[in-house]
Structure formats: C-alpha cells, structure tokens
Amino acid sequence: MKTLPVLCNTLPAWPALESHFHEDIQTLDLRQAFAADAGRLDALSQQAPHVFADLSKNLWTERTEELLRELAQQAGVLAQRDAMLAGEPVNCTEGRAVMHWLLRMPRDGGQLRHCATVQQWQPAMHEALGQVHETLDAMLALAEQVRGDEGITDIVNIGIGGSHLGPEVVVNALEDWVDAGKNFHFVSNVDGHELGHVLRRVRPHSTLFLIASKSFTTAETMLNAHSARRWFLEQGGSEDPQAACSIDRHFVALTTNVQAAADFGIRRTLGFWDWVGGRFSLWSAIGLPVAIAIGAAQFRALLDGAHAMDAHFFSSGVEGNLPLRLGLLDVWYRDFCGLSSRCIAPYSHGLRRLTAYLQQLEMESNGKGVTRDGQTLPVRTAPVIWGEPGTNGQHAFFQMLHQGQDVIPVEFIALRDGGKYLGAHHQSLVVNAIAQAQALMEGRHGEEGAERHCAGNRPSSFLLLQQLDPASLGALIALYEHRVFSAGAVWGINSFDQWGVELGKHLARQLHARQDSGDWQGVDASTQGLMHRLAAG
C-alpha cells in the first residue's frame, strides 16, 4: 500500500508553534517588544536584491522564526525548491515542470551557474535554456521593430488571467520608461463594453492587436479576438496579406497553436512552453507588450532583477531567505494566528494594479483544500488578498484597519526615490506610509472619548524599493512568486494548477450547449431559471 506523505500539521514543529502562539504571542505587545529589544529591527529586517523588508512590526519574535524554519525543514521546502530548479515535474497533477525562473536566466546561468543543482543539469535543461534565449531574441527583435514603426500608435493586448494581469501591471508600473509614441490598452473581460471602450479610441491602420492565448482556444480571449477581427475588417482592414492594412500586419499571436493562429489570419506568432504557467508567464512571449513599451534593454533589466531574486532564493538556506521568510509568515498568520486576509498597500501610483496581480498569483496558486497527493488538508491555506494604493486607501478602508474588530496584516510597499516626482509629493507619500505603519502598531490611548481609541498592536510589513525601475520591479515580482511557492510547499499543495478555474470554464461550456439543445435534465432549478430569463431577454 502506498504511504501518503505526512500532513503539515502532523510535523513536530506544528504543535510547538501552536504552544508558542498561546504562551508567547497571543499576549505579545509590539510596543513593549521594541522597548525591551533594541535589536528587534535588525533581527527582523533584511536587505535582499533590490528590496529591503522591515518585518519587525509583525506579531512574531526570533523564536517564532526559529520554529517556522524548523517547520520548513521538516516539510522539505528546500528539497521541493531544488526539485523545481532541477526541472522535475513539481506540477504533479499536470505532470509538468515549473520553470518560469528559466525565462530570466542568462545564457551562461548567471548568478546560478555555480549552483550545484544547475551544474548537474541534464542536456535537456541546457537545451531548454537555449530555446528560451532564441525566443527572447525573436520577441525583442519584433518589439524593436514595432517601436520603430511610427505608423503604429496603439497596442491592444487581448488576453485574460496571467496573459493580461502580468503585462498590464508592468506596463503601468514602468510608465516612465514607456515609449511616448505608443498607447497601450489591455482587454480581458468578456463583457463587450471593455473591448468597445478600447475600439472607440483606436483606428485599424494604426493599431497592433496582440492575441495572448497559449492554446488559442481560451473562450474569453478568443471571443474578444474575433470581435476585434470583425471590427478591423468592418473599419477597412483586409484579409489580404498584401494589403497595407491587413490582419497579417496588424495582428500578432502569442501562442503555441500556430495552425489556429494561421486559420485566424495571423502568420506572426511567438510561442512558449507548457512549463510556463499563466500567472508566471509575463517573462515569456506574453511579455511582448512590455517589451514594446519599454524596449529590449529595459526588458532585459526586468529579467535581470528577477534573476537576482531567483539566485537569492535558490542559493540561500532557511535563514536569510527573504521569499521563504515571507512565505513562513503567511503560514504563521493563517494557521496559528487565525488571520484570514492580508491587505496590500502600495504607496506608488505605478503599482496601482499590483494588488489585482497578487490576488491571482496567491489565491489561484494556494487557494486549495487538498494536498498535491489528494489528501484533504486539515489546515487553512491562502489568505484573501485585497487592497488599494496609498494614500487613497487611508481615506477608505484604513478606518477598519485601525479600529475594526478584525486584525488584518498590512503590507506596505514604497519607493525611496520617486524619480521625477521626488519633491514634496513623494516625500509626503512615503511619510504617510511610514506613519500608517506606526499608527497601526502604536494606536491611540488616553484621548478624551472612547470613540477616538485605537488599540494598536496591529501588524504590518514594509517593503522598500530604491526606485521603481525595471530591475527593482522584476525582483519584487519574483519575490512574491517564490513567497507563494514557499508557503504552498509547507502546506503540501501544488501551487501550479487551478482546477477550480477549470471547473467554471467546463460548466460554462455545458450551459452554452444546453441552451442550444434545450436539454436541462439534471440541472438545478436556480441555474435553469437564470438561463431561461437570459433566453427570454
């Protein structure tokens, strides 16, 4: 009989952490902790590539981290990490390797070339790295061609999920590097109003459509793509490849299904591999809109920043490994402190879409109730990720963070250097972020009137980047990717599949078929009633 792996809550460190929480942390007062320990900041903060993390205002101690590191060792997190680096099929439910990190590795292995795991690579891994750079060179050549074409003024990226959120968050974040002669639009929602909103603002002869779908069958993406194609032809575009305003000139497919793209009328395609998951794909050909926006040199800088964080994650042990520390903090809050959500507060207009990106990255990756071996998981996993850029959030939901009955960890993200807006605006922005973190911890006491009382002792983390440039952004995103993997490895789940998403797609296809056939046998009354109302107009 096959022996199933040990569940995380049966590991020896788990009950030790439970006891530690009840004996030491449940009554921890952060203000007293700082007063009693002059070294708390140094012990619970860290500089990693491009990112400084102050974790000292969290509800933990050095002893907490020690026990969490023991948990990580017992759960085999580093072994799982090394298996990923070796190209093993760690996405076990789909039988795939997980190698998005390979997309940002230099040809010579970069900072990982001396890593023992990399030095033991099989020839197939070196071949895969070569293919990555062939595709990268082709993508960047196409990007430079488009950047140099003054006739193209608008780029419309049509995708969904990772093929939409990743490129959108990066283009928004790096707007100071974006070619001023190009406008970028991102369409994902199957709601026709979104596509219509974009099409009203562009012209066929000056627009390039990027259709991002690995299979070229994604329902939402292809519906939008066909509607864009129809609009293009109705507005004077042509199916004739020789025409000046042709589908061949104005559409590019980011897909592995070259034949389906050709049937659509697209001959220019860029592909990627089955070991690139959607929410980890912005580093691949899916990043073409990013490369067009910021150019080849800056796209390579984005990859370099991510690779620096990769090297930090893959080369560090259980101590001093920032992605692992953050992943363990997530496990600590979710399972021992009973905190079910985390607020993301980026104090940067450029990072205004980061929370949406992190929602998919974390909740789609780790929002699961079974282990990778199919056992029911008796503990909680991914928290709810939500938030809004500062300082807007201060005038919206921060009231609840300070005085509400739920304790919600807040993650502040700020920039030391605001670039061209460094003056009074940026100074005020970052000071507000620091003050909010202080206020969450300190609270307010002794004021006249109980309605003014803020309990304080509310936890927060503070991530500080020197500036929002391509390298720093690449490192930040890679940090979150590895953080999610680390927490998932402790929980024993597969962070790289998404069967819940697939269920919804499957049922939608069934409902379309039932609507056509009129066969509603076995369908619940509510679903039938809603579908009948839809059909009745």
Side-chain angles (χ1 to χ4, degrees):
M1 179 182 294
K2 180 181 177 181
T3 302
L4 293 174
V6 175
L7 294 170
C8 60
N9 66 317
T10 64
L11 297 170
W14 197 276
L17 281 160
E18 289 178 323
S19 297
H20 170 64
F21 171 75
H22 291 296
E23 295 170 6
D24 303 318
I25 303 301
Q26 202 164 23
T27 57
L28 176 71
D29 188 297
L30 289 171
R31 294 153 294 201
Q32 295 175 6
F34 273 98
D37 183 4
R40 182 176 173 85
L41 172 62
D42 291 337
L44 297 174
S45 64
Q46 180 180 353
Q47 179 68 56
H50 301 282
V51 182
F52 172 77
D54 177 2
L55 308 180
S56 63
K57 292 190 184 75
N58 283 291
L59 297 172
W60 63 352
T61 64
E62 292 181 68
R63 175 58 177 162
T64 315
E65 277 213 277
E66 181 183 342
L67 289 170
L68 286 169
R69 288 194 295 269
E70 290 179 12
L71 178 65
Q73 290 175 322
Q74 293 165 11
V77 174
L78 295 189
Q80 295 177 61
R81 176 201 67 179
D82 294 344
M84 179 168 64
L85 183 61
E88 296 178 19
V90 296
N91 179 355
C92 52
T93 60
E94 297 179 304
R96 296 174 178 171
V98 175
M99 300 196 300
H100 50 276
W101 47 269
L102 192 71
L103 299 168
R104 53 245 190 172
M105 179 180 278
R107 290 179 186 272
D108 65 355
Q111 297 178 47
L112 285 169
R113 61 184 176 275
H114 300 303
C115 175
T117 302
V118 172
Q119 291 182 333
Q120 295 169 8
W121 270 0
Q122 298 300 311
M125 288 294 291
H126 293 286
E127 181 181 352
L129 181 59
Q131 293 173 351
V132 163
H133 281 276
E134 288 177 10
T135 302
L136 175 62
D137 290 344
M139 183 190 79
L140 295 181
L142 176 57
E144 290 301 309
Q145 177 187 332
V146 175
R147 284 169 61 82
D149 188 342
E150 296 181 357
I152 298 296
T153 61
D154 291 271
I155 313 297
V156 179
N157 188 81
I158 298 177
I160 199 166
S163 60
H164 161 76
L165 281 168
E168 183 186 34
V169 75
V170 175
V171 171
N172 283 345
L174 300 179
E175 56 192 356
D176 287 349
W177 280 265
V178 171
D179 184 342
K182 302 282 191 276
N183 303 305
F184 291 84
H185 315 271
F186 294 89
V187 175
S188 61
N189 199 330
V190 75
D191 184 345
H193 285 88
E194 184 175 53
L195 178 62
H197 175 80
V198 171
L199 295 181
R200 286 194 296 271
R201 287 159 173 76
V202 300
R203 298 292 179 265
H205 65 275
S206 60
T207 300
L208 178 68
F209 292 93
L210 308 179
I211 313 302
S213 170
K214 183 190 294 189
S215 65
F216 220 72
T217 60
T218 308
E220 299 92 338
T221 300
M222 296 317 300
L223 180 55
N224 280 326
H226 282 287
S227 294
R229 183 183 190 277
R230 184 169 58 253
W231 170 89
F232 179 81
L233 296 175
E234 291 172 350
Q235 296 296 314
S238 174
E239 295 183 89
D240 182 0
Q242 304 303 317
C245 187
S246 66
I247 290 176
D248 185 58
R249 169 174 160 73
H250 290 271
F251 284 76
V252 173
L254 311 177
T255 184
T256 56
N257 194 341
V258 175
Q259 183 57 54
D263 294 342
F264 187 94
I266 300 175
R267 291 188 298 178
R268 289 190 294 175
T269 63
L270 289 168
F272 42 107
W273 303 269
D274 66 0
W275 43 258
V276 180
R279 53 193 175 275
F280 304 92
S281 65
L282 74 88
W283 322 97
S284 70
I286 292 296
L288 177 60
V290 177
I292 296 172
I294 64 176
Q298 296 302 334
F299 190 86
R300 290 188 185 277
L302 178 79
L303 299 180
D304 288 344
H307 175 67
M309 188 60 73
D310 293 339
H312 168 73
F313 175 63
F314 285 119
S315 300
S316 301
V318 291
E319 293 190 47
N321 189 323
L322 183 57
L324 178 58
R325 292 181 85 176
L326 290 170
L328 292 173
L329 177 62
D330 296 337
V331 173
W332 170 247
Y333 276 152
R334 191 70 176 99
D335 290 312
F336 300 96
C337 302
L339 306 181
S340 60
S341 78
R342 185 169 82 249
C343 174
I344 306 294
Y347 275 66
S348 166
H349 178 69
L351 296 176
R352 59 193 176 276
R353 291 290 287 158
L354 180 65
T355 302
Y357 175 80
L358 295 179
Q359 282 177 334
Q360 187 204 14
L361 177 64
E362 186 151 349
M363 296 169 72
E364 190 169 280
S365 295
N366 288 349
K368 292 156 187 174
V370 295
T371 68
R372 55 182 170 269
D373 304 286
Q375 298 182 79
T376 299
L377 196 60
V379 300
R380 307 294 184 185
T381 58
V384 175
I385 302 299
W386 61 281
E388 181 74 12
T391 57
N392 292 352
Q394 293 177 204
H395 297 270
F397 51 79
F398 268 60
Q399 164 61 38
M400 188 181 105
L401 297 177
H402 288 294
Q403 286 190 306
Q405 294 175 311
D406 294 302
V407 175
I408 299 171
V410 181
E411 199 151 284
F412 295 93
I413 306 170
L415 318 174
R416 186 177 182 276
D417 181 353
K420 66 177 68 174
Y421 303 109
L422 177 59
H425 282 275
H426 188 70
Q427 182 78 3
S428 176
L429 179 69
V430 180
V431 167
N432 265 278
I434 295 171
Q436 287 296 320
Q438 181 186 26
L440 285 166
M441 181 181 73
E442 294 286 352
R444 176 159 58 182
H445 311 273
E447 297 283 348
E448 186 176 340
E451 70 278 0
R452 299 190 181 192
H453 175 78
C454 296
N457 207 37
R458 302 289 171 102
S460 68
S461 300
F462 207 104
L463 303 183
L464 185 66
L465 282 64
Q466 178 66 25
Q467 60 185 335
L468 190 56
D469 60 10
S472 296
L473 181 63
L476 180 68
I477 294 174
L479 169 66
Y480 277 105
E481 289 178 346
H482 297 314
R483 169 188 189 161
V484 167
F485 168 81
S486 297
V490 171
W491 285 317
I493 61 181
N494 179 4
S495 297
F496 303 105
D497 59 16
Q498 53 280 325
W499 297 111
V501 176
E502 299 304 322
L503 173 61
K505 292 179 181 179
H506 172 71
L507 292 177
R509 288 193 295 269
Q510 283 193 349
L511 289 178
H512 279 298
R514 287 182 180 277
Q515 193 173 38
D516 292 338
S517 69
D519 178 13
W520 296 101
Q521 185 175 357
V523 177
D524 67 272
S526 173
T527 300
Q528 285 191 56
L530 291 170
M531 291 298 295
H532 290 328
R533 283 181 176 273
L534 176 64

